[in-house]
Amino acid sequence: MDDVCLVTGGAGFIGCAVSGALADAFGSVVALDNLHPQVHASGERPTALDPRVELVVGDVTHEQVWDDLLAGRRPRVVLHLAAETGTAQSLTESTRHATTNVVGTTRMLDALARHDVRPARIVLASSRAVYGEGAWQGADGVVHQPGQRSHAMLAASHWDFPGLTPLPAGDPRMAPAPTSVYGATKLAQEHVLRAWALAVGVKPSVLRLQNVYGPGQSLTNPYTGIVPLFARLARAGEPIPVFEDGAILRDFVHVDDVARALVLAVTGDAVPSGAVDIGSGEATSVLELARRVAAVYDAPPPRVTGAFRDGDVRACWADPSPAAHELGWSPTVMLAQGLPQLCAWIDAQDPAAPQP
Ligand SMILES: NC(=O)c1ccc[n+]([C@@H]2O[C@H](COP(=O)([O-])OP(=O)(O)OC[C@H]3O[C@@H](n4cnc5c(N)ncnc54)[C@H](O)[C@@H]3O)[C@@H](O)[C@H]2O)c1
């Protein structure tokens, strides 16, 4: 087996963030990426992609792309990042999400089998979205999986599950139950990868990432990235509109921490047997995030609108302690440090220029 690390979706936000460390660790790193126009407005190779990485422009759902790629390369490790990532968009473009995320994964596995390539491990970047509303606990200590918030419930401004408080991802009582098509496709990726890999003697590794933010994230993709969206409004001196009652909880995990976790999963000695949650451990309300962004730009206070999006999850954050145990990873950059850093990076970009 050659000393090759293959990174699908390797020209994206997270792919660029891992590219330097992987180029240090492997004889060669190949990024397979179709430079999706929703993510790469310029259609050019991103400058943040380490120059040592070979970029193969191609679609993971195309059989011929895989045959060409594997004809000359036998990856020792695969990091599977390629995905359609628009959670809200996935409700109206479910076939597009399923095709890239699910069929893209099966195409990759079929191609590895066809070319008789058995990587030592395949690492998948999965998502917090697999949990949906997750698990909530009553005052009596009983844990419930409350399921999806219905349209009728949201339309009546019933945001929470009465009498229950949410538990963090990483709690062993929490089972995946996606409430978005995106989340369902990420869970399908996990199942497909695990079933295939265990059958053929490849070690699968699944990291479920919380909301990743930081320098390098797309400023032009309207379907992802709440911090750039808020920053754009605050920079224009507009009040940031905040959905529901402002109390939606999210875990903002810095891209440098995520990159370190993925590189550990790719190169480290430990290959966790189950899915590992990667988050900062801080549950931040979206209103609090909006207030902090507004403060950076001296913008008017955020405006809580009561609007909502079907399929949005009320509360999601991760307990990072299982990742410390399983992977030897802990978060280091908290939002108080990472948010001003991201805003400074956004300010340094030319807003008129297309972002890579
Ligand atoms: N960023 C987050 O907050 C977050 C959170 C949880 C999970 N994830 C997962 O991490 C992975 C990487 O996410 P990201 O934030 O870097 O997203 P991104 O959109 O920046 O990167 C994804 C890359 O995949 C490429 N791509 C899309 N469709 C493709 C196709 N059909 N063939 C080949 N390449 C294709 C895109 O061009 C892009 O470069 C994804 O699997 C995503 O589901 C991200």
Side-chain angles (χ1 to χ4, degrees), residues 90 94 102 181 289 312 322:
S90 72
S94 56
V102 185
V181 172
L289 176 76
D312 252 0

Side-chain angles (χ1 to χ4, degrees), residues 152-176:
M153 190 177 162
L154 296 172
S157 305
H158 294 155
W159 311 124
D160 281 309
F161 301 102
L164 303 177
T165 50
L167 294 172
D171 188 297
R173 293 165 294 182
M174 187 131 130

